[in-house]
Amino acid sequence: MNQSYETLSALLEKTMALQTALIMFEWDNETLAPEGAGSYTSRVVGVLSQEYYNVMTGDEMGEAIAACEKEDGLTDIEQAIVREAREAREELVCVPAKEYRENAQLIAESARIWSKARKDGKFEDFAPTLEKVIGFKKKFASYRKKEDQNLYDVMLDENEKGFNMELLDEFFGKLKEEIVPLLKEIMENGRKIDASFLKGDYRSEKQRELARYLAEYVGFDFEKGVLAESAHPFTTNLHNHDVRITTHYGDHVDSSIFSVIHEAGHGIYELGVSDELTQTPVGQGSSMGVHESQSRFLENIIGRSPAFWVPLYEKLQELFPKQLGKVSREQFVEAINKVEPGLIRIEADELTYSLHIMIRYEIEKMIVEEDIDLEKLPEIWADKYEEYLGIRPESPSEGVLQDIHWSQGLFGYFPSYALGNAFGAQIYSHMKKEMDFDELLKNGKVEVICQYLRENIHRFGKLKTSRQILKDITGEDFTPDYFIQYLKEKYGKLYELS
């Protein structure tokens, strides 16, 4: 290790330690922290964020990065770390220190305000905070934007490099053109599927047992991971030896089943990052879209396939004999794949899920690019749900207040969920040529599939972009065609469409 890179490594180690502390506060805030802690803890978060900002934007960091960029002897990994450090610094150095800290404190407290507003069903209680969050987000994007960039394109680029509104308009346009008519045909002409048995008295302690069993079954390592409960399931990680996932439990057993499989997919990705990359700027998932491709790959392509439940369904019946004892495996698989337009994104079926994302994408563009009146958001939201899904929320809690993302300033994040679906379908199409996918699942060998994903995606961290990963695996650039074909084939067969 040369002197320049050694200096940079020491500085980056400090930033990683600060980020780890901030992640711990975020985890605690969503899982165990008392309700009254919010405003007090936010000040601590503000101090830690300020210190992180100071290190990243300081002259010493700038000089170390510049010195490393002049070096010829750095390895490919070291060059990638220098690149990511430079990009992270460029994002921060244009933001005034006072504004950065104020925003960090606001974000630390806004999730609590959102949570209470959602519980009370009062969007007006959250709107002033949301306006402040949006104000900071737009201001920071304006500092970072290039001359020919739109503000929302800056936000999209933070989550998915190489994807802007032009590409996403085309992507969602294709989904709208293909999925909306398919949904209409299923609702009008498709066969009826009974899923009533998925709701009932599914005791929480049994769901907890099942959740841990399923997470471990698909490959989540509990020697390096934790499973907890939160209102909104999520995954976070300190490094590849400490990855934390959450789920929730209610009267719909499929909700907890698929939230834990989904979050385990995120967790397995982070656990699979190479040891030489972890705790560096490249030691995390390639992008939000690739991350979602892994979680939704596990949740839908694996978790909702008939083959997956061949070795598992008896375990489910043992845990819930009263509810599922007389339900056949085939009936269960049909039920967990039932198409039924609903109001809640995280409860959405695989077919309609991307329509939920399309609605959020369209609204985010309006918020950022058109400067709409936030008081109209509940109505705009409800109108779009009625247009695309044929249903209308009766309250903000099941409408505009259902997601935590905007309270955290995560604008430009939602499209990654739909891109993840498409990435996963494209990868799946290629994998089926290399392995007998269904036979592996029937024999309980999910680890073979996960090993393939680890070798081709997980271990690289941020060394590759999403489009590089797709190109290396499939030989093609990104295309939504595989996703559309996958949905048409799967649901055409399930609903016996002509």
Side-chain angles (χ1 to χ4, degrees):
M1 187 183 295
N2 64 45
Q3 185 61 47
S4 298
Y5 188 76
E6 191 172 341
T7 299
L8 178 62
S9 293
L11 290 168
L12 291 176
E13 189 173 24
K14 186 173 183 179
T15 66
M16 288 293 144
L18 291 165
Q19 284 183 313
T20 298
L22 288 165
I23 289 168
M24 283 296 297
F25 274 113
E26 179 187 0
W27 164 266
D28 186 65
N29 191 46
E30 294 296 322
T31 55
L32 294 171
E35 188 174 338
S39 60
Y40 295 89
T41 301
S42 69
R43 293 201 293 269
V44 180
V45 169
V47 172
L48 290 170
S49 298
Q50 181 72 64
E51 186 60 25
Y52 171 79
Y53 173 94
N54 291 342
V55 178
M56 284 301 301
T57 61
D59 292 341
E60 191 176 5
M61 178 69 78
E63 291 166 2
I65 292 171
C68 286
E69 289 182 323
K70 294 176 182 176
E71 293 287 346
D72 294 327
L74 298 183
T75 66
D76 289 345
I77 291 176
E78 289 169 346
Q79 290 177 42
I81 289 170
V82 173
R83 179 197 70 222
E84 291 295 324
R86 174 177 53 77
E87 290 180 3
R89 186 174 188 276
E90 286 174 351
E91 284 188 5
L92 290 177
V93 75
C94 60
V95 178
K98 183 174 181 291
E99 292 179 4
Y100 182 81
R101 177 170 176 173
E102 287 174 355
N103 177 66
Q105 290 187 208
L106 173 66
I107 295 300
E109 195 170 357
S110 62
R112 178 184 59 82
I113 297 169
W114 159 80
S115 181
K116 187 176 187 306
R118 185 183 66 163
K119 182 179 179 182
D120 297 338
K122 294 182 177 180
F123 177 74
E124 62 271 21
D125 290 353
F126 177 57
T129 301
L130 178 60
E131 186 172 14
K132 292 177 185 176
V133 171
I134 292 169
F136 274 118
K137 193 70 181 178
K138 291 172 73 171
K139 188 183 290 186
F140 292 176
S142 72
Y143 296 152
R144 295 165 180 162
K145 73 187 273 309
K146 298 171 184 174
E147 191 172 336
D148 58 344
Q149 258 188 322
N150 295 308
L151 292 182
Y152 192 50
D153 279 339
V154 176
M155 299 177 194
L156 291 170
D157 195 64
E158 290 174 4
N159 295 289
E160 203 66 43
K161 289 180 181 178
F163 287 84
N164 55 22
M165 284 188 287
E166 182 180 357
L167 285 171
L168 287 172
D169 284 347
E170 181 182 352
F171 169 56
F172 283 112
K174 285 187 177 181
L175 295 187
K176 186 188 299 187
E177 181 182 341
E178 300 285 353
I179 294 177
V180 174
L182 177 58
L183 173 62
K184 184 177 180 182
E185 185 179 2
I186 287 172
M187 300 313 294
E188 291 179 353
N189 303 315
R191 59 188 286 261
K192 304 302 179 185
I193 292 176
D194 178 24
S196 59
F197 51 82
L198 296 177
K199 181 180 179 180
D201 183 22
Y202 287 92
R203 296 172 62 183
S204 294
E205 59 266 30
K206 291 296 183 181
Q207 289 191 60
R208 288 189 188 93
E209 182 181 343
L210 176 62
R212 184 179 176 93
Y213 181 87
L214 285 173
E216 200 162 28
Y217 181 85
V218 298
F220 187 74
D221 185 353
F222 279 98
E223 291 188 2
K224 302 175 183 176
V226 172
L227 170 63
E229 295 176 44
S230 65
H232 194 295
F234 71 100
T235 298
T236 193
N237 68 297
L238 307 185
H239 41 72
N240 69 349
H241 283 63
D242 189 343
V243 178
R244 305 177 183 209
I245 65 175
T246 72
T247 189
H248 58 193
Y249 308 108
D251 59 358
H252 282 79
V253 70
D254 54 324
S255 177
S256 64
I257 285 174
F258 290 105
S259 71
V260 79
I261 295 176
H262 178 98
E263 299 305 334
H266 283 303
I268 290 166
Y269 190 169
E270 294 293 346
L271 289 167
V273 171
S274 169
D275 281 343
E276 60 184 333
L277 302 183
T278 197
Q279 293 184 301
T280 77
V282 294
Q284 53 191 296
S286 171
S287 71
M288 298 318 305
V290 177
H291 237 302
E292 292 302 330
S293 78
Q294 300 306 283
S295 59
R296 299 193 68 76
F297 190 99
L298 226 67
E299 174 191 354
N300 293 320
I301 292 174
I302 290 179
R304 295 185 195 272
S305 71
F308 177 74
W309 291 99
V310 170
L312 278 175
Y313 191 60
E314 284 187 9
K315 173 70 174 180
L316 208 61
Q317 289 180 311
E318 287 174 12
L319 288 170
F320 304 108
K322 180 181 177 182
Q323 298 86 348
L324 298 175
K326 296 181 180 180
V327 177
S328 71
R329 187 180 73 245
E330 291 76 14
Q331 288 174 307
F332 175 79
V333 171
E334 286 188 349
I336 61 177
N337 283 290
K338 181 179 180 178
V339 173
E340 186 172 12
L343 294 168
I344 307 302
R345 173 186 63 85
I346 61 173
E347 309 292 352
D349 58 77
E350 188 180 11
L351 179 67
T352 62
Y353 185 91
S354 292
L355 300 183
H356 289 259
I357 302 306
M358 183 170 67
I359 289 169
R360 287 153 176 78
Y361 171 67
E362 292 181 0
I363 292 175
E364 284 193 350
K365 285 199 301 180
M366 295 169 70
I367 290 172
V368 177
E369 296 297 329
E370 299 177 23
D371 202 27
I372 63 170
D373 182 355
L374 294 185
E375 291 182 3
K376 296 180 179 178
L377 274 184
E379 184 179 356
I380 292 170
W381 184 287
D383 287 345
K384 287 188 177 293
Y385 264 77
E386 193 163 25
E387 178 184 358
Y388 296 137
L389 292 166
I391 52 178
R392 192 175 184 89
E394 295 182 1
S395 75
S397 297
E398 59 185 16
V400 71
L401 281 175
Q402 68 178 269
D403 296 305
I404 194 174
H405 300 61
W406 289 348
S407 74
Q408 297 175 324
L410 294 176
F411 286 83
Y413 184 113
F414 277 119
S416 297
Y417 289 110
L419 287 171
N421 284 332
F423 293 168
Q426 189 168 344
I427 293 166
Y428 174 55
S429 178
H430 177 79
M431 288 177 68
K432 287 192 296 181
K433 300 172 186 176
E434 298 199 5
M435 62 183 71
D436 190 336
F437 208 87
D438 282 353
E439 198 62 27
L440 287 170
L441 293 180
K442 287 177 183 177
N443 291 314
K445 295 183 178 179
V446 183
E447 72 274 6
V448 176
I449 297 169
C450 287
Q451 181 62 30
Y452 179 94
L453 297 173
R454 186 176 301 113
E455 286 298 315
N456 289 278
I457 300 174
H458 303 170
R459 68 187 178 96
F460 292 109
K462 295 187 77 170
L463 292 178
K464 298 182 180 184
T465 66
S466 56
R467 293 170 89 159
Q468 286 174 324
I469 287 170
L470 288 173
K471 186 77 171 177
D472 289 347
I473 292 176
T474 72
E476 298 179 86
D477 195 5
F478 168 68
T479 170
D481 295 344
Y482 291 100
F483 181 45
I484 292 168
Q485 180 184 357
Y486 164 79
L487 291 175
K488 283 186 166 183
E489 289 180 358
K490 175 174 180 174
Y491 289 97
K493 180 180 179 181
L494 178 63
Y495 280 91
E496 299 177 353
L497 303 178
S498 57

